[in-house]
Amino acid sequence: MSTKGANLLTTSSRRVLDILTTSLLYLALIAGAVIMLLPLIWMFSSASKPLGEVMRIPPTWIPEQPTFDNFKAVFNQVPFARYYLNSIVVALIVIFSVLLSSSLAGYVFAKFEFPGKNLIFMMILASLMVPFQVRMIPLYRISLRLGLNDKLLGVAFPWLVDAFGIFLLRQFMLTIPGELIEAARIDGTSEFGIFWRIVLPNCKQALSALAIFTFSWNWEEFLWPLIISSSNASRTIPIGLQSFAEQYGSNVHWQMAGAVVAIVPLLIVFVALQKQFVEGIAMTGLKG
């Protein structure tokens, strides 16, 4: 066999090997995804079944007698609409506050020089290593002093400023050319004008990613709302689900319906903003 023929055979073998490797990798990923999705699929399936079918062994994945009565029961038994509204209001407050504070602080740390800047930034990053359980009691005492107990602002209080958001936007703003900002200053643009007209429009990807992360983290937060809320006036979805499970623990089909109602906003946000979500994960590795 000639050298040319041997090289072609080697190249062909490598292509076949690459195709097989890629196919096996995709099969493994698909199998892993299916295994991870099975509990979610079972939850959606059980939410539209009567109790007898939910408890059947072996289980049925496709409802034989689909019904929406479970969802009606959830909203009739507990004020789920109130919990939903509370969660939405708290999420909006936290998202607005985090985006504002993180963008302002990120701009300062990225584009200004002042004594102790690096030390202050390192202290902010160090706060990420402090567990929430350590800060919980001081935060609760501060909330009581401020009169935020059993109020929506009190539920949002610990998350109004986010160290991760400051870090993310600071890292992203370091990539904005300093010459662009200096040119705006020479033209007489105020610092707020530079921030509003130049910096923020160039940070849309980072802001979108931070908003998605903040919404998902805040929507499923359980411990702090459980501590600070004492009535339905400030209880959020996770607390409502816990209260519902305590009262109707034997009604598994109702619990699954409540879980579906609670998770739908997260699924909608992820599906609608999937690109920004993936970009946000990638941006957490930016160096500066």
Side-chain angles (χ1 to χ4, degrees):
M1 183 181 294
S2 64
T3 304
K4 184 177 180 180
N7 291 335
L8 288 174
L9 182 60
T10 303
T11 303
S12 177
S13 300
R14 288 177 179 174
R15 288 179 179 175
V16 172
L17 182 61
D18 290 340
I19 292 173
L20 288 175
T21 303
T22 304
S23 300
L24 289 174
L25 179 61
Y26 274 104
L27 286 174
L29 290 174
I30 292 172
V34 170
I35 293 173
M36 295 294 292
L37 287 173
L38 281 179
L40 188 66
I41 295 172
W42 188 84
M43 181 183 71
F44 275 90
S45 175
S46 300
S48 56
K49 296 177 183 177
L51 181 59
E53 189 175 349
V54 173
M55 304 302 293
R56 185 183 302 173
I57 298 177
T60 57
W61 291 97
I62 300 176
E64 297 178 357
Q65 300 176 353
T67 177
F68 290 98
D69 292 340
N70 298 337
F71 297 95
K72 295 178 182 178
V74 169
F75 282 91
N76 290 334
Q77 300 298 331
V78 294
F80 233 87
R82 179 68 184 185
Y83 300 151
Y84 235 85
L85 179 61
N86 291 344
S87 292
I88 292 173
V89 171
V90 170
L92 291 177
I93 292 173
V94 172
I95 290 172
F96 175 79
S97 178
V98 166
L99 292 183
L100 179 62
S101 60
S102 298
S103 58
L104 287 171
Y107 177 51
V108 170
F109 283 115
K111 297 303 180 182
F112 287 85
E113 295 295 333
F114 54 89
K117 182 182 81 169
N118 292 332
L119 177 61
I120 296 173
F121 184 67
M122 292 302 296
M123 291 176 64
I124 292 174
L125 291 183
S127 68
L128 291 171
M129 295 183 287
V130 180
F132 176 73
Q133 290 78 3
V134 175
R135 299 178 285 125
M136 186 169 58
I137 295 177
L139 284 170
Y140 181 72
R141 291 177 64 88
I142 293 173
S143 299
L144 291 181
R145 289 290 184 92
L146 295 176
L148 300 178
N149 186 41
D150 200 29
K151 294 181 180 178
L152 294 181
L153 185 58
V155 178
F157 174 65
W159 325 115
L160 296 179
V161 178
D162 184 23
F164 171 78
I166 295 174
F167 165 76
L168 178 64
L169 287 178
R170 182 256 187 187
Q171 299 300 97
F172 193 86
M173 289 178 182
L174 285 173
T175 64
I176 300 176
E179 294 80 4
L180 187 64
I181 296 176
E182 290 299 328
R185 286 174 180 157
I186 293 173
D187 289 340
T189 307
S190 64
E191 289 297 333
F192 181 77
I194 294 173
F195 172 75
W196 185 259
R197 299 174 186 174
I198 297 176
V199 176
L200 285 187
N202 283 284
C203 296
K204 289 181 179 179
Q205 287 182 329
L207 291 170
S208 300
L210 181 58
I212 295 170
F213 288 142
T214 303
F215 174 78
S216 61
W217 295 335
N218 184 261
W219 188 267
E220 60 188 21
E221 176 59 33
F222 176 78
L223 181 58
W224 177 254
L226 178 65
I227 296 171
I228 202 68
S229 301
S230 56
S231 70
N232 291 332
S234 61
R235 285 176 180 157
T236 54
I237 285 289
I239 309 304
L241 280 177
Q242 174 65 20
S243 176
F244 183 77
E246 291 176 354
Q247 297 180 52
Y248 306 99
S250 59
N251 297 309
V252 180
H253 56 320
W254 289 1
Q255 292 187 49
M256 293 300 103
V260 168
V261 171
I263 203 175
V264 162
L266 289 177
L267 294 178
I268 293 175
V269 169
F270 177 75
V271 171
L273 304 175
Q274 188 174 167
K275 180 180 178 182
Q276 289 84 346
F277 187 83
V278 175
E279 289 176 349
I281 295 176
M283 278 189 290
T284 58
L286 288 174
K287 297 181 179 179

